[in-house]
Amino acid sequence: MCGISGFIGNKEINKKEIDKTLALMKNRGPNAKGYINFFDKKNNLRVNLLHSRLNIIDLDKRSNQPFTIGEFTIVFNGEIYNYLEIKKKLQLKGIKFHTASDTEVLLQSYIVFGLNFFEKIEGMWSFAIWDNNKKKLILSKDRFSEKPLFVYQNETGIYFGSEIKYIKSLSKKKFKINEGHLIRYLVQGYKSLYKFNSTFFENIQDFPGASYCSINKKLKLNFKKYWKLDYKPKQISFNTAVKKSKKIILEQFKKKFRSD
């Protein structure tokens, strides 16, 4: 578990606010913390990326985040299960790696394949990638919303974070309780929470699963789906179902237990 947060817009967030937010983020990532700021003077566009790290893959500090390759920077919470398989494909294309992390593989995948990289990655994630060439920020969450990500937009720009309190800290805003969401939860139970993108605080959205958002100087949240379940049942025998299920489960366990 790691923590990410950040901002894109025309407001300058001072170091005191950043340090305060990083202190709040320690509960999600006690092993390292860091941040990076960008300023596009031409468009008066400011970007802040914050990260707190829990070491899982490649424990060396070389894999601390924010992680930068050339003009691309990422903050990432999660794990890419098939990163070794993707890494081999990228190496065949001549890509050289400087860490043993899935973070570097994820960022190189975006650099090489663009937004088509969603078709290749398997895992759980919430991440933000700043493309300094195109001056755009990519936000995304995994297919089944295993990793949290929240967003808030006001007149100054767009804030995001793994937890709502990070958004509160960076924006220095107090948010009203979303009474409708609270009542729905009390009446219908916790399952009702995931049928909507609203949260317990007004104007703060839960980033939709299996989606990404590309944000440029226009500062618009336009969510796009990169995946949806395509269920096409087939008639197979019980023994075949057992054999195939066993194979899939064992293969997935091997990927998901990759760890240092």
Side-chain angles (χ1 to χ4, degrees), residues 166-183:
Y166 308 159
I167 293 175
K168 290 181 178 180
S169 176
L170 285 177
S171 66
K172 297 198 297 184
K173 298 283 186 180
K174 290 185 178 181
F175 296 91
K176 294 181 179 179
I177 298 296
N178 186 339
E179 295 182 359
H181 192 73
L182 179 60
I183 291 170

Side-chain angles (χ1 to χ4, degrees), residues 101-243:
S101 70
D102 56 341
T103 303
E104 185 177 10
V105 174
L106 178 59
L107 187 54
Q108 284 285 16
S109 296
Y110 171 74
I111 294 170
V112 173
F113 302 115
L115 292 174
N116 290 328
F117 82 140
F118 285 115
E119 299 172 4
K120 305 179 185 300
I121 56 178
E122 300 174 18
M124 53 180 179
W125 67 78
S126 61
F127 64 71
I129 295 176
W130 171 244
D131 185 333
N132 200 42
N133 287 319
K134 296 181 179 178
K135 307 300 180 186
K136 69 176 182 179
L137 184 71
I138 306 295
L139 296 178
S140 178
K141 195 160 73 169
D142 62 76
R143 292 172 177 82
F144 299 105
S145 296
E146 291 184 72
K147 290 300 179 182
L149 184 61
F150 302 94
V151 290
Y152 161 68
Q153 183 170 15
N154 65 8
E155 68 281 355
T156 65
I158 297 168
Y159 301 80
F160 64 90
S162 300
E163 296 185 28
I164 290 175
K165 61 184 176 182
Y166 308 159
I167 293 175
K168 290 181 178 180
S169 176
L170 285 177
S171 66
K172 297 198 297 184
K173 298 283 186 180
K174 290 185 178 181
F175 296 91
K176 294 181 179 179
I177 298 296
N178 186 339
E179 295 182 359
H181 192 73
L182 179 60
I183 291 170
R184 183 165 52 243
Y185 164 64
L186 293 174
V187 173
Q188 300 178 7
Y190 78 94
K191 289 184 179 180
S192 67
L193 300 179
Y194 306 103
K195 294 180 180 179
F196 306 92
N197 291 335
S198 58
T199 68
F200 288 111
F201 296 90
E202 290 185 1
N203 301 318
I204 295 181
Q205 298 181 65
D206 188 359
F207 199 98
S211 301
Y212 74 92
C213 185
S214 180
I215 306 168
N216 57 23
K217 62 181 181 180
K218 294 181 181 179
L219 299 176
K220 290 185 178 181
L221 283 169
N222 185 17
F223 303 112
K224 296 182 179 179
K225 285 280 185 181
Y226 60 80
W227 177 87
K228 65 178 180 178
L229 181 63
D230 185 15
Y231 178 57
K232 295 179 180 179
K234 297 179 181 180
Q235 290 293 330
I236 58 175
S237 69
F238 177 78
N239 288 336
T240 301
V242 170
K243 185 178 180 179

Side-chain angles (χ1 to χ4, degrees), residues 57-58 62-65 67-69 72 74 76 80 83 86-87 90-91 95-112 117 129:
I57 296 176
D58 191 3
R62 65 190 175 186
S63 293
N64 288 349
Q65 300 179 46
F67 188 87
T68 299
I69 301 174
F72 304 89
I74 188 172
F76 162 52
I80 304 303
Y83 78 101
I86 296 174
K87 187 174 185 177
L90 289 169
Q91 286 172 328
I95 302 299
K96 294 183 179 180
F97 290 86
H98 304 284
T99 75
S101 70
D102 56 341
T103 303
E104 185 177 10
V105 174
L106 178 59
L107 187 54
Q108 284 285 16
S109 296
Y110 171 74
I111 294 170
V112 173
F117 82 140
I129 295 176

Side-chain angles (χ1 to χ4, degrees), residues 39-63:
F39 177 49
D40 175 15
K41 188 176 182 180
K42 180 180 178 181
N43 297 301
N44 189 31
L45 189 67
R46 299 179 184 273
V47 176
N48 309 93
L49 301 177
L50 290 71
H51 188 268
S52 61
R53 185 184 181 198
L54 175 65
N55 295 345
I56 297 177
I57 296 176
D58 191 3
L59 309 185
D60 195 279
K61 64 180 181 180
R62 65 190 175 186
S63 293

